[in-house]
Amino acid sequence: MFERSKKAVSRAKRLIAVAAVPALSFLALSLTPHPSDNDAKALYVVSGEPYAGVDALAGEVFLTDSTGGLVSREDGRDLSLTAGSAVTVIHQDEPISTVSGRETVAELLERLDVQPSPLEMVSVAFLEGAVEIRIDSEFVFYEHTSTVTEHETVYQYNDRKPEWEETVLQEGSNGEYREVYEVIYQDGEETARQLIDLVDTQPVPTIIEKGTKENFANNGDSVAAINTNTDGSGTITLENGEVLTFQEARTMKGTAYTTGGKVGTRTASGTTVRVGVVAVDRNVMPLGTKVYVVSNDGEYVYGFGVAEDTGVRGNIIDLYMDTYNECIQFGVRDCTVYVLD
């Protein structure tokens, strides 16, 4: 039997199919035993609406998906029509118009005295407001076989971003291997099959950048409150509701620097200079220390920083800024440096 695609499985119970026969928009094939030799050997059942009584079907029914692709075989009997539909029957290139009763396709053909030969097949297309029935000895449809490979999710970790921050760098997509065969039925039998399309798409992973830095705040976040415990530790509550915890608060002389002249773009830690990098005397403060810096005059909040650079001596903290003018405006200020956990 034929392999179902995921798309088609969800439609199987509605008997939705697409015709490869000209003028048919949906197609499924049913090889049905008939009481007399004058009946057709195969019945194509087509439905864009739930016209077919699927629960009552028995025999072989070929289901196709919305592209005309054959995806499975199910048991099925005859097809029930809805009363009051305009019906056109085309047999031997001669059209016959009628209105359907509450009857099956076989009963309608018998009422019209249309007798398909044992080598003919019947196709039924439910069009908008009408039913079209064609009787012929040849039909063409398409068989789809598909295998889907689920894509992976890959995380890239960034120790400069907070642990709660995730950024999707690349949207993923599943891979698919699909073959499409054109299949010809003549006189109720499959007579030809040809591979007409092959798709082999590799899966693309979803890539997510995830921060790993704990106790982090974005520069520019306003401070709502600072609470200090008796042992010197405490918390910094930001306006956005985030709470930072610190081990101690130090008073240090704050200066500012930027790139240019003899100052390059690489820090003593090997990272790239940026806002949030501070330079310290490593004998006073170890590299890698996370800090939160505010000026004691209340005019400047530098915010979150990491000691990644050197070049100063003693109890000085040198704050990286983007421009020379910012450095001049900051000048030299006494600062409170909160050493974060």
Side-chain angles (χ1 to χ4, degrees):
M1 297 303 177
F2 299 111
E3 177 182 353
R4 294 173 182 258
S5 71
K6 289 185 177 179
K7 180 178 181 182
V9 168
S10 66
R11 305 178 181 211
K13 290 188 177 180
R14 291 195 298 130
L15 199 58
I16 292 181
V18 179
V21 184
L24 298 187
S25 59
F26 298 96
L27 179 63
L29 173 64
S30 167
L31 297 178
T32 308
H34 296 276
S36 72
D37 292 337
N38 292 328
D39 289 324
K41 280 193 173 179
L43 173 67
Y44 276 77
V45 176
V46 187
S47 180
E49 298 291 338
Y51 286 97
V54 180
D55 294 337
L57 297 179
E60 278 192 298
V61 175
F62 293 79
L63 300 182
T64 65
D65 62 17
S66 60
T67 65
L70 182 64
V71 294
S72 70
R73 296 183 183 183
E74 296 287 337
D75 287 337
R77 276 186 212 158
D78 208 348
L79 174 66
S80 297
L81 299 174
T82 301
S85 298
V87 179
T88 300
V89 179
I90 302 173
H91 185 212
Q92 297 176 352
D93 295 326
E94 293 292 332
I96 303 173
S97 298
T98 187
V99 175
S100 65
R102 193 174 299 276
E103 58 193 344
T104 66
V105 170
E107 290 169 340
L108 181 140
L109 294 180
E110 182 179 359
R111 174 165 63 85
L112 296 178
D113 197 25
V114 175
Q115 298 182 358
S117 75
L119 300 181
E120 287 181 319
M121 298 172 291
V122 179
S123 68
V124 182
F126 290 98
L127 310 176
E128 289 188 11
V131 178
E132 183 178 87
I133 300 174
R134 286 180 176 267
I135 301 171
D136 207 333
S137 60
E138 179 176 311
F139 289 109
V140 180
F141 57 87
Y142 298 92
E143 173 192 325
H144 292 224
T145 60
S146 179
T147 301
V148 175
T149 303
E150 298 288 339
H151 71 281
E152 299 178 333
T153 299
V154 178
Y155 286 92
Q156 294 181 355
Y157 296 97
N158 189 334
D159 60 4
R160 297 180 184 176
K161 292 187 176 182
E163 58 183 351
W164 43 261
E165 183 173 316
E166 291 189 2
T167 305
V168 178
L169 302 180
Q170 174 178 281
E171 292 287 354
S173 60
N174 294 335
E176 182 184 17
Y177 181 82
R178 183 175 74 248
E179 294 178 336
V180 181
Y181 288 87
E182 183 182 74
V183 184
I184 299 176
Y185 257 74
Q186 293 177 313
D187 305 333
E189 301 291 339
E190 180 183 321
T191 59
R193 170 184 295 267
Q194 180 180 2
L195 180 65
I196 61 171
D197 190 26
L198 176 63
V199 175
D200 190 1
T201 304
Q202 297 301 309
V204 176
T206 294
I207 300 177
I208 298 176
E209 182 181 61
K210 182 176 176 61
T212 60
K213 185 171 290 184
E214 299 177 353
N215 216 26
F216 177 97
N218 290 307
N219 287 330
D221 290 336
S222 299
V223 176
I226 299 177
N227 297 306
T228 304
N229 302 319
T230 56
D231 62 356
S233 65
T235 60
I236 302 172
T237 303
L238 305 180
E239 292 286 356
N240 63 10
E242 186 179 353
V243 177
L244 308 177
T245 59
F246 60 87
Q247 304 170 8
E248 60 174 315
R250 301 183 186 182
T251 299
M252 301 180 71
K253 180 175 291 186
T255 57
Y257 77 109
T258 190
T259 55
K262 296 182 180 180
V263 180
T265 60
R266 305 296 290 179
T267 69
S269 301
T271 59
T272 302
V273 290
R274 65 197 181 280
V275 174
V277 167
V278 299
V280 296
D281 182 340
R282 67 178 70 199
N283 293 319
V284 175
M285 181 177 291
L287 292 181
T289 301
K290 292 179 291 185
V291 297
Y292 197 87
V293 183
V294 298
S295 65
N296 289 350
D297 57 16
E299 294 184 1
Y300 200 91
V301 177
Y302 184 77
F304 183 85
V306 181
E308 295 182 3
D309 212 352
T310 58
V312 297
R313 293 185 179 277
N315 193 42
I316 296 174
I317 187 165
D318 205 10
L319 312 175
Y320 179 83
M321 298 186 181
D322 282 331
T323 67
Y324 179 75
N325 286 337
E326 289 178 290
C327 296
I328 294 299
Q329 290 175 10
F330 182 80
V332 178
R333 301 171 188 255
D334 288 335
C335 295
T336 299
V337 178
Y338 297 94
V339 180
L340 301 179
D341 291 331

